[in-house]
Amino acid sequence: MLFISFILFTGFVAFYATYKLRKDKLNTKDGYFLGGRSLIGIVIAGSLLLTNISTEHLVGMNGSSYRNGAIIIAWEVTSALALVVGALYLAPRYLKMGLTTIPEFLEKRFDGLTRTMVALLLIISFVATLLPIVLYTGALNIEAIFEISDLLNVSRDDGIGITILIVGSIGAVYAIFGGLKMVAYTDTINGFGLLVAGLLVPVIALLSIGDGNLFQGLGEVFNNSPEKFNVISNEPGIGDGARSSILPFEVLFTGLMVNQIYFWTMHQSIIQRVLGAVSLKEAQKGLLYTGLLKILVPLIIVLPGLIGFYYFGESLYDNPDSVYPELVKKVMPLWLTGFFVAVMMGAILSTFNSALNSAATVFSLGIYKRYLHKDASDGKLVTIGKWTSLLLAIFAIGIAPFVANAPDGLYQLLQQLNGIFFIPIASVISAGFLFPKISAFGAKAGLVFGLFFYVIMYYFIKVDLHFVHIWGIEFVLNLLVMYLASMVKPNTEKFAIKNAEVINLNPWAYAKPFSIFLVLFTVVLYVWLGNV
């Protein structure tokens, strides 16, 4: 029954996406890399959600909430604020320029070398951090639920390795042959499947704990460890213990929002769905719908960890990343487990596919066409994109097993590594929009300074600061370095956004009211949870 439900749901997703793409032209640049600029709001939201929520969240964040309580919720709740910035400010500008990639904006604003530097950093960040961690956490979850190693009569490490190879190969096939639109359609179905399956885990657990009463079950879990539900962390962000803190409350006002704005409005694997929108109206809908979903997502990626503490106590404290798989096995009926693993597989594939597609887009259009073959046809660029996806998939599969045994959990490891790449790129893109006097020389100076600053401060000097505080300091210093460098070599031309007239730029009539609702909802929710 487990395998039947797994195969049925996985097969349905593949069939549906293939059917929807039967008439699409995937041999053109826009058709392959941007889904033919035809994505609507609900598809964008479903794809954004699943591109973001993968097993590093289900496994890593639930493991963190089991161990450290609900303080980890800040990563999710504050996302809605960043998505409002994207919908109201950045999306209209991206779409007006007719961008295919974010580095393309940097060439328009600064110069080709700035674009190339950021393109290379993006590709390295995909291969070195996101792709391996997504594959490893996915394999960890599937191994724990399906017990692949027992089925194949191999060691646990070999079982995880085999799962990484299979999942990575399937993901590569999706990304290589279907392009962005295949990824977006499979994401949409799997995204809403993930919401259903993800909610079933805490709902079934709480019904069991409360003898059929959901709220009684929640009360039992709360009374077992009320301190775990407080989202306001008293951990030190500065001084002794700051480096090992999970998420001190004050970091919400320094580097956290910089990271959120970068990830949700500037990161290629996320914003590529927005760039593929059929109109500005649908792009704004997609971003703001995602904001609402992100506020609800902690029910899936934080609450199960708190329930896990009720069931397992501190018995899994040294191995928090096993909490979620163990909880699923404990509460999920056998006939639903196959569907759940199919959705899990979809979540892994989504993030993996999205990163591959984005890296292929950045390389093909930003590096290959610019330096290796300036007159390359659309068909040639698509072919290069497919080969890029294949090679990156092979690298990621090879690196994935080495991310095991992260001391603070896999999600924390991902965030720490992201700081190397995210903040320098965020500062350059922000300066490009907000500060007209920043020159191409200043942008490159800020980019290089930012890369070295974070690595030196966090990994070599090892200052007694939480890594998110270092992000905030780095962002401000990057802007200062860019400003000073721009005084040495100032701009020679004034930049102005030109309308590429690619899509309809009429905004969504409810974009501002919906944005106000999201901001208020976020603040009220955080204040309420902070007083639990």
Side-chain angles (χ1 to χ4, degrees), residues 141-147 150 201 312 322-334 337 340:
N141 220 13
I142 292 172
E143 158 65 24
I145 297 169
F146 264 144
E147 297 179 340
D150 290 343
V201 174
F312 309 123
S322 68
V323 170
Y324 192 68
E326 290 298 323
L327 181 66
V328 171
K329 282 200 297 185
K330 184 175 184 66
V331 306
M332 190 70 78
L334 186 62
T337 305
F340 180 80

Side-chain angles (χ1 to χ4, degrees), residues 275-325:
L275 301 180
V278 70
S279 66
L280 173 59
K281 175 182 176 180
E282 294 301 321
Q284 289 180 321
K285 282 183 182 180
L287 286 165
L288 296 174
Y289 291 164
T290 307
L292 182 59
L293 291 172
K294 287 295 288 180
I295 292 173
L296 301 175
V297 152
L299 295 173
I300 297 172
I301 58 178
V302 175
L303 181 57
L306 304 177
I307 295 170
F309 188 78
Y310 173 87
Y311 276 122
F312 309 123
E314 295 184 358
S315 63
L316 300 176
Y317 192 79
D318 293 329
N319 189 18
D321 291 321
S322 68
V323 170
Y324 192 68

Side-chain angles (χ1 to χ4, degrees), residues 404-436:
N405 305 318
D408 296 317
L410 292 168
Y411 188 77
Q412 197 76 350
L413 171 66
L414 179 62
Q415 296 299 346
Q416 290 166 356
L417 293 174
N418 280 343
I420 299 173
F421 307 99
F422 282 14
I423 307 304
I425 299 173
S427 61
V428 171
I429 296 171
S430 299
F433 280 110
L434 300 175
F435 304 109

